[in-house]
Amino acid sequence: MNHTKSKGIISLSAAMATVCLAAGTATAGPAEQALQQMPQESIFSTHLRFQGDPVETLSDGRVMRTTAIFRGKHFEWTGKVENTVAEDETGGSRENAPPVSAISAEELAENLRGIAFFNGHQFVEAEAPIELARRIKRLDAMERDGASRADIERLLPGTGASQGTAERTVDLSAVEHAKPAGGNARIPHGPDDRSVMNNHSYPHRTHIVFDNTGNTSSINGSQGSGTLIGPSTAMSVAHVFWNESANTWESAHRWAPGFDSAEGDSSPWGDWYACYWVTIPTAYTIYENSTYDYAVLDFDVGCNSVRNGVNSDRPGSTVGWLGFYTASTNDIESRTGYLRGYPGTGTCGNPGQSCGVRVWGDISYGSENDAFSYTIRHQADTSGGQSGSAFYHYADPSCSGCGYGAYLVGMHRAGYTNYNEATRFYSSVYSFMKSYSSDY
């Protein structure tokens, strides 16, 4: 597979190879020679380290190198992303991607090969994840053959929600606003029923804003949203981070959970620049459509910066996270879906007011939801900046120990004339997330 990029990325070259320390002298003994032949290494965290030639020394003194080892997977450096600019997130639709059932495991593995962005540099998974592809092929066949929910859940166990160590929200229903009658999908298609959520309360403090629209020292807008689903893991959509028109990455984002620009302290849970490793499927860079429009963010990358009592490496430990499971079509179409995120620009609510950079949300009743293989069509109002927002519902899944709570079942990605659309958290997305998250 050719990973050479024509725009913004330095081509893959011999510099990718892991490089040893300088050769020893002729008089060096066997032990010294063995030590000298060990690859140079920089340890960033338990799950992330680098080997080989240096490619950049960060401001905190850590050295990035030509091979990244993330969760035991080898990623090779393919270049620094140059001259990137913020672009409105619109969601690609270049061409249809073949369904899982129509391609071989080897082809699927190439589609799922992780392409990652870290501190302005691109890394590509050295080997296509064939075991991941085979697993997804098996799960897809089971689902198409009508396997029982018990069998599916046994192979795809859900994970329960957590409120973290911050103040507990006792009455979850009190923090989720009801939708007035007469709402329509997506402004300006009728009344905009969104309300501002309390960013200090769970689950709204788990929602993350990503901003690269202005000064990197502060959050000035919203280029996209995401939601924590573990101490160090968040889910979003690929097009928030990938610039379709330039066929390269967006510049690094500043991010914050539970942000509210209308408050004196707009980042009560801290905010950080970069300090994340984001992985998307290579196939999104080819097809740019809903089949592969998902992104896994991991914050356990050794920044270890504490602000307002929250550690950038494990923000979910403080603010909490949503649970997740592969909800059935009946679950999605019978339960009220909640969608919360950061519009960033324009007007929100009815009557309209400035959106600001705040957690806004709306709901879509079960009868308004349509679940498809890869997507969920819903009627919750959204606008630019809310791509990546969690589409979640309240449930008590049968997974062992999960319990009642808020569970992510999709990530909002696009709006159309008569409906809005989320990427469904189905077996492929679930499996990809498990492969590229330090939590799971």
Side-chain angles (χ1 to χ4, degrees):
M1 182 176 181
N2 182 0
H3 299 303
T4 300
K5 293 290 177 182
S6 60
K7 298 180 180 179
I9 305 294
I10 299 173
S11 298
L12 187 62
S13 70
M16 286 172 45
T18 301
V19 186
C20 297
L21 291 172
T25 66
T27 58
E32 289 177 306
Q33 290 178 7
L35 180 63
Q36 290 166 349
Q37 290 171 3
M38 291 178 65
Q40 301 179 54
E41 186 170 66
S42 304
I43 298 175
F44 277 42
S45 72
T46 304
H47 303 280
L48 177 64
R49 67 185 192 275
F50 292 87
Q51 293 180 348
D53 275 349
V55 295
E56 183 177 347
T57 300
L58 303 180
S59 59
D60 58 11
R62 297 182 300 167
V63 180
M64 295 173 58
R65 301 177 183 275
T66 50
T67 296
I69 303 173
F70 177 71
R71 286 209 65 197
K73 299 177 176 64
H74 286 65
F75 286 75
E76 301 297 352
W77 178 74
T78 58
K80 186 169 184 178
V81 183
E82 302 285 1
N83 303 319
T84 56
V85 295
E87 181 183 66
D88 290 341
E89 42 84 18
T90 56
S93 56
R94 179 183 293 173
E95 55 185 299
N96 292 326
V100 169
S101 59
I103 56 178
S104 68
E106 290 73 19
E107 291 172 311
L108 180 60
E110 289 294 343
N111 283 346
L112 295 172
R113 186 191 292 261
I115 179 170
F117 183 70
F118 180 67
N119 280 319
H121 295 260
Q122 176 176 283
F123 293 83
V124 176
E125 195 169 3
E127 295 184 6
I130 186 64
E131 291 305 317
L132 172 62
R134 288 170 178 161
R135 174 179 174 81
I136 288 174
K137 291 279 288 183
R138 290 194 296 270
L139 290 166
D140 179 71
M142 288 178 61
E143 291 170 335
R144 287 185 289 105
D145 291 342
S148 69
R149 287 301 303 170
D151 285 342
I152 296 294
E153 290 167 3
R154 177 175 54 82
L155 295 172
L156 301 171
T159 293
S162 170
Q163 295 204 26
T165 59
E167 183 178 357
R168 183 174 181 79
T169 300
V170 178
D171 185 357
L172 292 170
S173 63
V175 299
E176 301 285 17
H177 293 265
K179 177 180 178 180
N184 290 280
R186 192 178 179 229
I187 55 174
H189 305 287
D192 179 359
D193 299 324
R194 287 175 293 179
S195 301
V196 177
M197 303 290 110
N198 183 347
N199 62 309
H200 292 271
S201 297
Y202 177 88
H204 310 310
R205 63 189 183 224
T206 70
H207 304 309
I208 296 173
V209 59
F210 294 100
D211 173 42
N212 62 1
T213 58
N215 189 332
T216 60
S217 65
S218 62
I219 292 175
N220 309 291
S222 172
Q223 281 294 108
S225 304
T227 300
L228 287 158
I229 60 166
S232 304
T233 305
M235 289 300 299
S236 186
V237 289
H239 75 258
V240 167
F241 304 93
W242 185 259
N243 184 325
E244 290 82 9
S245 63
N247 195 35
T248 187
W249 293 94
E250 293 265 358
S251 56
H253 293 77
R254 194 165 193 88
W255 59 276
F259 187 88
D260 193 321
S261 60
E263 292 192 349
D265 181 2
S266 56
S267 302
W269 310 105
D271 63 81
W272 297 271
Y273 176 67
C275 286
Y276 59 80
W277 175 282
V278 58
T279 311
I280 65 175
T282 290
Y284 185 76
T285 70
I286 301 169
Y287 300 110
E288 293 179 0
N289 73 1
S290 59
T291 306
Y292 294 99
D293 195 3
Y294 47 89
V296 183
L297 291 111
D298 199 288
F299 302 108
D300 189 11
V301 294
C303 283
N304 200 31
S305 173
V306 178
R307 295 183 181 174
N308 288 355
V310 180
N311 191 310
S312 63
D313 286 12
R314 298 176 64 83
S317 295
T318 303
V319 303
W321 62 83
L322 300 191
F324 59 85
Y325 76 117
T326 54
S328 68
T329 294
N330 181 67
D331 285 345
I332 293 169
E333 295 182 348
S334 64
R335 297 180 185 275
T336 296
Y338 297 81
L339 194 149
R340 282 79 172 92
Y342 298 86
T345 60
T347 59
C348 295
N350 187 21
Q353 55 186 294
S354 173
C355 294
V357 188
R358 315 182 73 186
V359 183
W360 286 87
D362 192 16
I363 67 175
S364 181
Y365 295 120
S367 60
E368 298 176 311
N369 301 330
D370 292 308
F372 296 85
S373 297
Y374 306 134
T375 60
I376 301 169
R377 293 179 180 177
H378 64 85
Q379 297 290 319
D381 292 325
T382 65
S383 57
Q386 286 189 263
S387 283
S389 301
F391 186 79
Y392 62 97
H393 61 218
Y394 284 87
D396 188 359
S398 60
C399 48
S400 176
C402 283
Y404 180 82
Y407 285 82
L408 176 139
V409 295
M411 298 81 67
H412 174 70
R413 67 169 301 274
Y416 299 95
T417 302
N418 297 316
Y419 59 87
N420 280 343
E421 182 178 84
T423 298
R424 184 172 178 174
F425 193 76
Y426 68 107
S427 58
S428 293
V429 182
Y430 173 105
S431 300
F432 189 88
M433 180 278 295
K434 286 257 182 164
S435 291
Y436 302 100
S437 158
S438 64
D439 290 326
Y440 304 109

